[in-house]
């Protein structure tokens, strides 16, 4: 068996995206995770795409890049493994593929594509910016089929439905880092990662709680602005680049951005 430290690396690797349905039933009649083993198939209306095609978007967006690890047979290229392990610090001979194999001995592997063009799925990506406080967007957020939480700390022991756990592929994170943020910052923020996941999984994407508040402060909504610019100063993520990408996506009609 892998040692406990390796299990912790598994948890760091997962960067679990936990999705949940809104209070109302989804309009497409799907279960929260249509590619999970408990797939419920039902007809749904097609989306009427209104997004404009542009060279800027087409050079960055690659539908062929799958957001999720798909099971024990999922092979990561050597450059992806090297990039990912560099972010984790000292490697200590960790065998990433062996960790993935153990991971899927516990969790079921996805059984279908993350995106189905025959179904119209509306998704809200909710960030943790201070501009979210008092925004009044609660009902608008609840009106979407899916809501992404931008981050949930993974505990060693948690009570959860394993059929509702998705595991992002390190290759998808590297794709965002190279194609979108263009290597600005060490790696993309969890919020921006969730947004790109939505662009690959949903036909209509609405974005809330990103960027500075009305007074220009960059902070989380639960903070009291004592260090309102800390997020921008860490250099782990490039907040300005990510925010400019969100505004460009909104300008091109790829997302709806609520400020």
């Amino acid at each position: 068996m892998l040692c406990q430290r390796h299990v912790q690396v598994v948890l760091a690797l997962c960067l679990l995206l936990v999705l949940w349905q809104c209070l109302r039933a989804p309009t497409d009649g799907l279960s929260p995770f249509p590619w999970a083993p408990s797939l419920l198939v039902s007809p749904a209306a097609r989306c009427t795409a209104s997004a404009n095609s542009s060279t800027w978007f087409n050079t960055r967006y690659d539908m062929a890049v799958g957001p999720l690890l798909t099971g024990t047979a999922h092979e990561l290229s050597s450059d992806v493994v090297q990039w990912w392990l560099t972010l984790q610090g000292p490697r200590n001979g960790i065998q990433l593929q062996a960790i993935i194999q153990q991971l899927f001995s516990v969790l079921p592997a996805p059984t279908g594509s993350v995106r189905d063009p025959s179904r119209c799925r509306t998704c809200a990506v909710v960030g943790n910016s201070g501009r979210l406080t008092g925004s009044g967007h609660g009902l608008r957020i609840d009106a979407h089929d899916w809501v992404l939480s931008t981050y949930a700390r993974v505990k060693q022991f948690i009570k959860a439905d394993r059929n509702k756990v998705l595991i992002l592929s390190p290759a998808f994170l590297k794709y965002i880092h190279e194609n979108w943020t263009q290597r600005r910052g060490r790696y993309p923020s969890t919020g921006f990662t969730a947004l790109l996941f939505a662009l690959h999984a949903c036909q209509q994407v609405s974005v809330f709680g990103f960027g500075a508040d009305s007074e220009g402060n960059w902070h989380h909504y639960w903070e009291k602005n004592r260090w309102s610019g800390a997020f921008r100063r860490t250099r782990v993520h490039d907040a300005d680049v990510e925010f400019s990408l969100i505004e460009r996506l909104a300008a091109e009609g790829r997302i709806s951005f609520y400020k």
Side-chain angles (χ1 to χ4, degrees), residues 59-255:
T59 57
R60 288 163 174 78
Y61 186 85
D62 187 355
M63 178 57 76
V65 179
L68 305 177
L69 288 177
T70 57
T72 56
H74 192 116
E75 290 288 342
L76 298 172
S77 64
S78 59
D79 62 316
V80 169
V81 172
Q82 182 178 4
W83 177 79
W84 177 257
L85 292 181
T86 298
L87 296 178
Q88 308 309 310
R91 303 178 190 179
N92 297 326
I94 293 174
Q95 297 297 318
L96 193 57
Q97 203 63 40
I99 293 174
I100 293 175
Q101 185 172 0
Q102 185 185 17
L103 185 63
F104 285 106
S105 70
V106 177
L107 300 173
T111 57
S113 173
V114 71
R115 183 185 180 101
D116 184 349
S118 68
R119 290 183 166 87
C120 181
R121 185 177 301 130
T122 62
C123 296
V125 181
V126 183
N128 51 25
S129 166
R131 69 166 37 175
L132 198 61
T133 303
S135 65
H137 290 318
L139 291 178
R140 184 175 285 111
I141 292 171
D142 287 347
H144 292 77
D145 298 322
W146 288 358
V147 176
L148 281 73
S149 159
T150 58
Y151 181 75
R153 184 173 296 278
V154 180
K155 298 180 180 179
Q156 186 172 2
F157 300 102
I158 59 175
K159 292 182 178 180
D161 184 347
R162 64 178 186 154
N163 292 322
K164 296 181 180 180
V165 176
L166 305 177
I167 306 167
L168 285 182
S169 170
F172 187 67
L173 297 174
K174 187 172 183 288
Y175 149 74
I176 299 173
H177 181 62
E178 294 180 347
N179 282 33
W180 290 90
T181 60
Q182 299 183 330
R183 299 184 176 89
R184 299 287 294 273
R186 288 191 63 220
Y187 53 89
S189 70
T190 312
F192 192 71
T193 300
L195 192 158
L196 262 294
F197 175 87
L199 281 178
H200 280 255
C202 313
Q203 283 75 11
Q204 295 180 4
V205 178
S206 301
V207 177
F208 306 83
F210 283 77
D213 65 13
S214 59
E215 298 180 358
N217 296 314
W218 288 75
H219 64 103
H220 301 110
Y221 65 84
W222 61 83
E223 295 171 340
K224 297 183 179 180
N225 293 343
R226 185 176 179 184
W227 295 288
S228 60
F231 177 74
R232 300 175 76 182
R233 292 196 298 265
T234 61
R235 298 184 180 179
V236 175
H237 316 302
D238 194 316
D240 294 312
V241 166
E242 293 188 358
F243 189 72
S244 67
L245 290 170
I246 293 172
E247 290 191 311
R248 181 66 181 268
L249 287 167
E252 296 204 357
R254 298 288 172 175
I255 64 173

